[in-house]
Amino acid sequence: MFARILNFEVRLEKKEEFVKVVENEVLPVLCKQTGFLEVLPFFPEQMTEQKVITISLWATKADAERYEKEFYPKLQDIIKPYLATPIVARPYTVETRLCQHFVEALAA
């Protein structure tokens, strides 16, 4: 399993609009991608800080790289007006031996 972890800040006054745009425009594209498993968005409990972390999970590194090359730039343009900082994206390998219950839940 492979993960892309994004770090960025959302403009406080645009948070609700950002969530709607992701739900209505970004998620449908993600869900159609080969190898896409799930997205996990993390917002601060107190939205006095703007930092958001989003983890997208992919079946393989090749699936994530294909998405990043072919679709990510377009989706980044869609959400850019809601951001206070540029997105920093980093790739990770998920060590599935350490989270077997989670992997099984994803497969169900």
Side-chain angles (χ1 to χ4, degrees), residues 33-35 60-71:
Q33 302 309 305
T34 301
T60 68
K61 181 178 181 179
D63 293 331
E65 288 174 341
R66 184 180 325 98
Y67 159 76
E68 185 170 2
K69 180 180 173 186
E70 296 176 14
F71 294 94

Side-chain angles (χ1 to χ4, degrees), residues 17-82:
E17 288 177 70
F18 172 79
V19 170
K20 285 181 184 177
V21 166
V22 170
E23 180 181 23
N24 296 322
E25 297 181 45
V26 175
L27 278 178
V29 173
L30 277 171
C31 290
K32 292 178 185 174
Q33 302 309 305
T34 301
F36 173 74
L37 300 172
E38 188 61 81
V39 65
L40 305 168
F42 296 90
F43 288 86
E45 194 170 318
Q46 304 284 324
M47 274 305 283
T48 53
E49 68 175 277
Q50 304 157 291
K51 188 169 185 165
V52 175
I53 299 168
T54 302
I55 301 171
S56 60
L57 298 173
W58 300 85
T60 68
K61 181 178 181 179
D63 293 331
E65 288 174 341
R66 184 180 325 98
Y67 159 76
E68 185 170 2
K69 180 180 173 186
E70 296 176 14
F71 294 94
Y72 177 68
K74 295 171 193 159
L75 297 180
Q76 190 175 21
D77 286 343
I78 291 171
I79 64 171
K80 193 173 186 175
Y82 306 96

